[in-house]
């Protein structure tokens, strides 16, 4: 984790190059930073975009942003904890992020989200009482061609139906971590 002093423990450095290559969201985020010429004072804008894309900001993502903007990780972490509108990694063992961007929305993302909320008995932004699943939403995650998309534990799943999503999260609850 990133500490307030800006030090990071070894295991939570930024994402691997393979992960960055495989996940389109990093590319979109990079393009966004480029638009701001990687300026440090664009940090809040960049964090907003990252949250839009990923649904929350975990240590790995914060480190990636810190590196890209050449800022101390502790400063980036401090900003995310200062502003209430940023969500750090939720506490659920598993994380489900429903894309609610336009392409996904018109293809039924709202129905998927409602089905998940009913099944898990929580609202978006909450974690089940047993701590197994956190449910979040994001705006366009860069996978419009396979809408509606849902991200299960960091893996983007294409063309989801409410049934697909329910099956997936029920598996998590049933089998535990
Ligand atoms: S709107 Fe969902 S991936 Fe673009």
């Amino acid at each position: 984790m990133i500490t307030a002093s800006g030090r990071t423990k070894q295991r939570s450095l930024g994402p691997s190059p393979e992960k960055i290559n495989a996940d389109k969201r990093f590319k979109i985020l990079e393009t966004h930073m480029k638009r701001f010429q990687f300026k440090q004072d664009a940090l809040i804008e960049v964090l907003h975009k990252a949250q839009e894309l990923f649904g929350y900001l975990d240590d790995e993502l914060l480190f990636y942003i810190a590196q890209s903007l050449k800022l101390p990780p502790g400063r980036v972490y401090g900003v995310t904890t200062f502003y209430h509108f940023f969500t750090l990694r939720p506490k659920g063992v598993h994380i489900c992020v429903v894309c609610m961007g336009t392409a996904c929305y018109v293809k039924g993302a709202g129905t998927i989200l409602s089905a998940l909320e009913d099944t898990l008995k929580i609202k978006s932004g909450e974690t089940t009482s047993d701590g197994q699943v956190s449910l979040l939403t994001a705006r366009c995650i860069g996978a419009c061609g396979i809408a509606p998309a849902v991200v299960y534990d960091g893996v983007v799943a294409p063309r989801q139906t409410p049934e697909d999503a329910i099956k997936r999260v029920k598996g998590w609850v049933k089998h535990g971590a």
Side-chain angles (χ1 to χ4, degrees):
M1 102 188 269
I2 299 170
T3 66
S5 68
R7 297 212 174 105
T8 56
K9 288 181 186 165
Q10 194 63 32
R11 72 165 185 83
S12 57
L13 294 177
S16 65
E18 293 76 28
K19 186 168 178 181
I20 293 171
N21 279 337
D23 191 335
K24 258 190 181 173
R25 292 176 292 178
F26 284 104
K27 190 84 204 147
I28 298 172
L29 186 57
E30 198 193 324
T31 304
H32 192 74
M33 290 190 281
K34 226 178 238 168
R35 200 172 300 150
F36 288 100
Q37 297 163 336
F38 296 92
K39 284 192 179 140
Q40 296 181 341
D41 55 13
L43 175 61
I44 295 206
E45 289 287 343
V46 171
L47 289 170
H48 271 298
K49 187 67 184 177
Q51 183 158 297
E52 248 179 60
L53 288 165
F54 291 83
Y56 61 93
L57 306 166
D58 64 10
D59 284 358
E60 204 176 66
L61 187 53
L62 293 179
F63 194 87
Y64 173 76
I65 292 169
Q67 265 188 329
S68 303
L69 299 182
K70 296 189 173 48
L71 281 166
R75 162 117 180 264
V76 176
Y77 183 75
V79 168
T80 56
T81 51
F82 183 78
Y83 293 104
H84 70 276
F85 41 76
F86 291 126
T87 306
L88 296 175
R89 188 188 194 284
K91 55 183 188 295
V93 174
H94 299 283
I95 300 175
C96 177
V97 183
V98 181
C99 179
M100 294 292 279
T102 308
C104 290
Y105 189 79
V106 299
K107 291 201 169 174
T111 319
I112 296 173
L113 182 62
S114 300
L116 286 169
E117 287 180 336
D118 288 349
T119 303
L120 296 169
K121 298 183 178 42
I122 53 172
K123 292 283 173 206
S124 167
E126 295 178 348
T127 299
T128 52
S129 56
D130 63 0
Q132 281 296 309
V133 187
S134 292
L135 180 63
L136 297 167
T137 57
R139 277 169 57 191
C140 186
I141 58 169
C144 304
I146 55 167
V150 179
V151 188
Y152 302 101
D153 282 341
V155 179
V156 178
R159 299 178 192 89
Q160 292 294 281
T161 63
E163 293 74 27
D164 293 334
I166 289 170
K167 198 170 156 194
R168 192 67 178 258
V169 300
K170 273 193 171 165
W172 284 344
V173 175
K174 201 167 144 196
H175 298 116

